[in-house]
Amino acid sequence: MNLKEKKLSSKEIYKGKIINLYVDDVLLPNGQESKREVVRHCRASAILAFNDKGEVLLEKQYRYPYDEVITEIPAGKCDGNEDPMDTARRELEEETGYQAGSLTYLGKIYPTCAYTDEIIHIFLAKDLVKTHQHLDADESLEYGFIPFHELIKAISEDKIPDAKTLAAVSFYLASEAKKSGK
């Protein structure tokens, strides 16, 4: 069965700093026409970073759309055609003041595929070296390390709803299971 929709036309409704909003007319597989509201978003990278004690680096940031402080892994948007791995290195240092001696690609996620084309590339960082934090002018955050088992506990208690953090932990656990043959 063919499930693909065909774009007939597209109208830009809003052009912003990190998102653009479009309303597209589409032809459905059943021959009917419909509209799709689409948020076009730049790519991003997120980093699950471990120190030499096996603790995970987490941030706390106020997130305006939810009106709450969210605990999450470091992340940020790719600048133009920047390679997602370069973004991960840059964002980790900008937000937390750490450089990764080792950076491994874990996978990508489509965090909200019903209405946006956002892709977040997720990396595992190890062998951290402390440098200095240099936040963007519009960023405010706190960061620190917690044991991995405490992160898992917080997730199981529904204290960390951030999709990229949940996906990063899932990718990490899957890669560890693969290494051990489980």
Side-chain angles (χ1 to χ4, degrees):
M1 174 182 219
N2 178 18
L3 299 175
K4 187 169 172 68
E5 298 175 358
K6 179 181 177 185
K7 180 170 44 172
L8 301 173
S9 66
S10 183
K11 181 179 178 185
E12 185 178 73
I13 303 300
Y14 173 78
K15 186 169 183 70
K17 180 177 155 185
I18 61 170
I19 64 165
N20 299 326
L21 176 61
Y22 292 83
V23 175
D24 294 355
D25 291 311
V26 298
L27 180 64
L28 304 174
N30 66 5
Q32 299 292 316
E33 290 186 17
S34 189
K35 292 194 180 292
R36 297 289 181 250
E37 296 171 345
V38 181
V39 175
R40 301 282 180 205
H41 190 284
C42 56
R43 294 169 304 137
S45 292
I47 309 97
L48 182 65
F50 284 89
N51 65 15
D52 58 359
K53 297 176 189 172
E55 298 169 319
V56 179
L57 182 58
L58 294 176
E59 299 177 345
K60 291 185 180 205
Q61 285 192 74
Y62 174 77
R63 294 301 192 176
Y64 183 83
Y66 296 101
D67 190 27
E68 64 183 87
V69 174
I70 304 290
T71 299
E72 58 192 275
I73 60 175
K77 66 181 187 69
C78 296
D79 292 337
N81 289 326
E82 182 179 33
D83 182 273
M85 185 172 279
D86 293 335
T87 301
R89 288 188 190 286
R90 178 179 51 75
E91 287 291 337
L92 180 63
E93 186 170 18
E94 283 180 8
E95 293 186 356
T96 68
Y98 282 94
Q99 288 182 347
S102 166
L103 198 62
T104 305
Y105 186 73
L106 292 176
K108 68 182 177 185
I109 62 168
Y110 300 163
T112 46
C113 59
Y115 62 86
T116 182
D117 64 355
E118 180 180 17
I119 298 172
I120 301 176
H121 298 274
I122 300 179
F123 295 87
L124 173 65
K126 292 186 174 181
D127 305 320
L128 302 181
V129 176
K130 185 67 173 150
T131 61
H132 66 278
Q133 181 186 45
H134 42 101
L135 296 173
D136 292 337
D138 62 351
E139 284 183 302
S140 297
L141 60 87
E142 295 177 358
Y143 66 90
F145 290 92
I146 68 165
F148 186 69
H149 72 272
E150 286 185 22
L151 173 57
I152 297 299
K153 183 175 187 251
I155 290 170
S156 71
E157 294 172 349
D158 199 26
K159 293 180 180 172
I160 299 185
D162 176 61
K164 68 188 170 297
T165 302
L166 298 172
V169 168
S170 177
F171 280 131
Y172 175 73
L173 291 173
S175 72
E176 290 298 299
K178 186 176 181 181
K179 285 181 199 174
S180 68
K182 293 182 181 178

